[in-house]
Amino acid sequence: MGSLVLSSRLYVRGVGLVLACTFVSLATQLDVLLGPQGLSPVATQLKPGISFWRRPTLLWLLGDSDAALWAVVLLGLFGSLWMAWGRARLGGVLLAYVAYLSL
């Protein structure tokens, strides 16, 4: 295996581990930060007058409930662990990116 291939695989796995730590950290603070009684509730960020392109998030489709927030966090965690595991790197990167952008 070439050194370029090995280094790219290690890089993607490392980024996956860092993203997994990010999503776990956010999961511990989710209710306090983005929940209905949080510092910056999602419901105030998703007003009808704001376009999707100004706030690109999956929460436009899923809603602003706690379950939707947890679904996005778990989606990101799944994608980042998929990256760290080394399988389906593109799928993991896309899942983690979309979830990270959504939050």
Side-chain angles (χ1 to χ4, degrees), residues 27-95:
T28 62
Q29 305 170 26
L30 190 64
D31 295 332
V32 175
L33 293 176
L34 299 174
Q37 305 300 325
L39 295 173
S40 179
V42 172
T44 62
Q45 303 295 323
L46 301 178
K47 295 179 182 175
I50 299 173
S51 71
F52 173 80
W53 298 111
R54 186 151 184 242
R55 298 220 197 281
T57 178
L58 287 175
L59 297 173
W60 285 110
L61 301 172
L62 299 175
D64 58 357
S65 66
D66 284 338
L69 287 169
W70 278 100
V72 174
V73 168
L74 291 176
L75 182 74
L77 184 61
F78 178 72
S80 62
L81 291 176
W82 211 5
M83 287 170 59
W85 186 42
R87 302 285 184 232
R89 285 179 285 180
L90 181 61
V93 168
L94 288 176
L95 282 177

Side-chain angles (χ1 to χ4, degrees), residues 4 10-13 20-21 24 41 43 60 63 66 71 73 91 97 101-102:
L4 184 62
L10 287 176
Y11 179 77
V12 170
R13 286 181 180 203
C21 292
V24 168
W60 285 110
D66 284 338
V73 168
Y97 177 73
L101 184 64
S102 293

